[in-house]
Amino acid sequence: MTNTTETSVSPFDELVTDLRVHRTMYTDPQIFVTEMNRVYGGTWTYLAHESEIPEPNDFVRRKLGLRPIIVTRDRNGEIHGLINRCTHRGATVCRTDSGNARSFMCPYHNWTFNNTGKLTGVPMHKGYGASFNRDELGLGRLRVDSYRGFIFGTLNQEISDLATHLGSVTDYIDQWLDRWPGAELVVRHGETRLNCKGNWKLIYDNSADGYHPGFSHASLLRMRKERYGVGVDMQWALGDTDAGKQTVTDLGNGNTFLDQRAEIDSYWDSAAPMPGQNPYANAVRAKLDDAAAKAALDVVVGSGMNLNIFPNLLIIGNQIQVIEPLAVADTDIVWYSTSLRAPDLPDEINSLRVRLQEDFPAFGEPDDLANFEECQVGLGIEEMEWVVTNRHIDTDTETLDANGNLTGLITDELPIRAFWRYWKKLMTSDTKLVAR
């Protein structure tokens, strides 16, 4: 990596620009270690959804970069993000993915912490003498905030509150959640976990990339077209996508948005059929009038929205995808299906929504994983240094939306440029990260 003696110049200024990115940003183990601290610790990072811990004393295990985290709801309903590391000798205190517990006992020496992080029990504590202070030895605590059920955590005590940080992202979260007015989102249907031998940033690069679907997923799209006819899910990708109405937008702070909605008349009719869907659909039509049944079936399938919240949360269609970095060239990609809880929404809608977990994660995501892994192979070639990120940067097709956000054609690489600008800001920050 290039070094400089000029303190006013970032070491990344020559390696990360709007036009290109140096390959070592994806392959350098030291850069990976640094970004696990400064990126994943230095901004609001998605941890879990409130519906995963619905009851007092519920918890789930998650990660903040490489740090093991416990997300808890205490007996009063308050949510906490705790670092899963005993303050005695460093062992993890929680070794179960989810459950209900008022406290966590370290199996090594039985130090015990309640689910707010406070140290409550130390066997034979007199051996530590009169100076021993339990109040100084609680579990590390993240700063935690949530927006409409999405829980985020950070070690940055200086960053603005979550809603301010997200900015206009909250408008799109609202639009996504309010497709069925009054419904409550539920994320309690297990997960589909896939592993990629590639850098985590390759997945985010792809999250708002409208340039690749017609090529990477061509076999899937052609099979659907031949089997089900025209107009079926994602068929727009097989044409000249630059001539369409779909867009990508830079929402600030590395957050981006891909919007397909301008070209969708009926979500249900344009979706690829699911096995066994007809009895469910007929049951919905029998329970609701025509307009309500159409609206209900439309919330089964994709929303026409890809909302990408830096650095690890991707809201795709009706599913949530979370990026979990493991090593510089090793990443887990976790898909969560979602359901809706509302008194006026038939149960059959959620049965169909959960079946979506059998669709793209099984038939489309393998295409992407193959490309990510082959990118990682190619990025290891030292003589070929650069990744090009300048598509549509000088075609005069970018405009500002009503909120002043830069918007371009769906194949514009502005989302990649937006990601790298915020990444570089965090990587060069001198903010001190603190576990409270």
Side-chain angles (χ1 to χ4, degrees):
M1 189 173 73
T2 302
N3 293 317
T4 178
T5 58
E6 296 292 334
T7 57
S8 62
V9 177
S10 161
F12 297 109
D13 281 345
E14 294 182 2
L15 301 176
V16 179
T17 73
D18 280 350
L19 301 178
R20 63 185 191 175
V21 175
H22 197 265
R23 67 172 192 88
T24 53
M25 302 302 101
Y26 299 90
T27 63
D28 188 326
Q30 185 54 55
I31 288 176
F32 176 80
V33 169
T34 302
E35 65 191 4
M36 289 301 97
N37 293 320
R38 294 186 182 176
V39 174
Y40 273 78
T43 192
W44 287 109
T45 299
Y46 177 70
L47 300 176
H49 191 268
E50 288 187 24
S51 65
E52 296 179 85
I53 49 171
E55 301 298 329
N57 302 317
D58 279 352
F59 71 89
V60 291
R61 282 198 309 176
R62 293 296 153 83
K63 285 187 174 180
L64 183 75
L66 299 182
R67 303 170 187 83
I69 301 297
I70 318 167
V71 183
T72 71
R73 187 185 293 274
D74 67 23
R75 64 181 183 179
N76 298 316
E78 186 177 349
I79 294 171
H80 306 268
L82 309 176
I83 297 179
N84 188 6
R85 186 255 195 217
C86 182
T87 47
H88 176 218
R89 298 279 284 278
T92 57
V93 300
C94 177
R95 304 179 187 181
T96 304
D97 286 340
S98 63
N100 185 278
R102 289 176 294 178
S103 62
F104 303 97
M105 180 185 291
C106 178
Y108 196 1
H109 296 94
N110 281 21
W111 281 35
T112 303
F113 306 83
N114 70 16
N115 58 15
T116 70
K118 183 178 180 180
L119 177 60
T120 57
V122 177
M124 299 175 284
H125 68 276
K126 292 181 180 179
Y128 287 102
S131 63
F132 185 71
N133 187 347
R134 294 188 186 190
D135 292 339
E136 296 176 350
L137 291 169
L139 297 178
R141 294 178 175 88
L142 304 181
R143 182 181 169 195
V144 171
D145 201 352
S146 66
Y147 183 79
R148 296 201 66 178
F150 291 92
I151 305 168
F152 295 77
T154 184
L155 293 168
N156 184 348
Q157 306 303 318
E158 300 175 11
I159 196 171
S160 59
D161 65 87
L162 178 63
T164 301
H165 170 79
L166 291 175
S168 55
V169 169
T170 61
D171 296 337
Y172 294 103
I173 293 176
D174 293 346
Q175 292 171 33
W176 185 70
L177 290 174
D178 294 337
R179 293 180 68 209
W180 188 267
E184 179 183 349
L185 188 74
V186 179
V187 187
R188 290 182 65 86
H189 308 289
E191 62 186 43
T192 298
R193 182 175 293 268
L194 305 171
N195 181 257
C196 172
K197 299 306 179 186
N199 186 266
W200 70 276
K201 297 185 290 298
L202 293 168
I203 292 92
Y204 204 99
D205 285 351
N206 190 70
S207 61
D209 180 359
Y211 191 26
H212 82 282
F215 311 110
S216 294
H217 306 303
S219 60
L220 172 62
L221 300 180
R222 287 173 184 144
M223 177 275 290
R224 284 178 170 174
K225 185 174 183 179
E226 291 169 3
R227 182 171 296 183
Y228 304 118
V230 298
V232 177
D233 186 35
M234 290 179 66
Q235 294 301 306
W236 58 267
L238 292 175
D240 179 4
T241 48
D242 277 349
K245 300 177 181 178
Q246 300 182 36
T247 59
V248 287
T249 301
D250 173 4
L251 300 179
N253 292 336
N255 306 309
T256 56
F257 181 62
L258 184 151
D259 194 353
Q260 303 172 31
R261 294 174 296 177
E263 295 184 6
I264 299 177
D265 295 323
S266 170
Y267 295 90
W268 176 254
D269 292 338
S270 64
M274 292 178 281
Q277 72 175 30
N278 290 336
Y280 288 105
N282 290 337
V284 171
R285 295 186 180 106
K287 293 178 179 181
L288 302 174
D289 62 40
D290 290 346
K294 180 183 183 304
L297 290 171
D298 273 355
V299 301
V300 166
V301 293
S303 59
M305 305 167 69
N306 284 24
L307 180 58
N308 313 301
I309 303 176
F310 186 100
N312 67 330
L313 174 60
L314 312 176
I315 298 174
I316 303 173
N318 282 338
Q319 293 156 300
I320 293 171
Q321 186 184 98
V322 179
I323 302 171
E324 293 188 1
L326 304 175
V328 67
D330 193 6
T331 308
D332 274 357
I333 305 170
V334 190
W335 287 78
Y336 297 89
S337 64
T338 68
S339 60
L340 298 174
R341 184 185 294 128
D344 56 347
L345 192 65
D347 292 339
E348 289 82 2
I349 293 300
N350 287 324
S351 298
L352 289 167
R353 282 176 69 104
V354 173
R355 295 221 66 167
L356 282 177
Q357 198 77 340
E358 303 166 353
D359 185 50
F360 194 84
F363 296 102
E365 189 73 324
D367 296 331
D368 291 327
L369 295 182
N371 284 325
F372 301 154
E373 293 187 352
E374 292 303 316
C375 285
Q376 195 70 35
V377 172
L379 290 166
I381 302 170
E382 295 183 5
E383 295 79 12
M384 304 288 288
E385 294 189 77
W386 299 101
V387 173
V388 178
T389 60
N390 64 346
R391 182 171 176 79
H392 281 305
I393 202 168
D394 60 1
T395 59
D396 296 323
T397 54
E398 295 179 350
T399 59
L400 298 179
D401 68 9
N403 295 317
N405 297 318
L406 190 64
T407 299
L409 302 174
I410 194 170
T411 66
D412 196 326
E413 289 171 340
L414 75 85
I416 297 178
R417 298 190 288 271
F419 171 93
W420 283 107
R421 282 193 291 270
Y422 191 56
W423 178 93
K424 185 162 62 172
K425 177 181 178 181
L426 292 171
M427 289 289 282
T428 56
S429 171
D430 59 359
T431 299
K432 183 175 177 58
L433 305 181
V434 178
R436 294 187 293 179

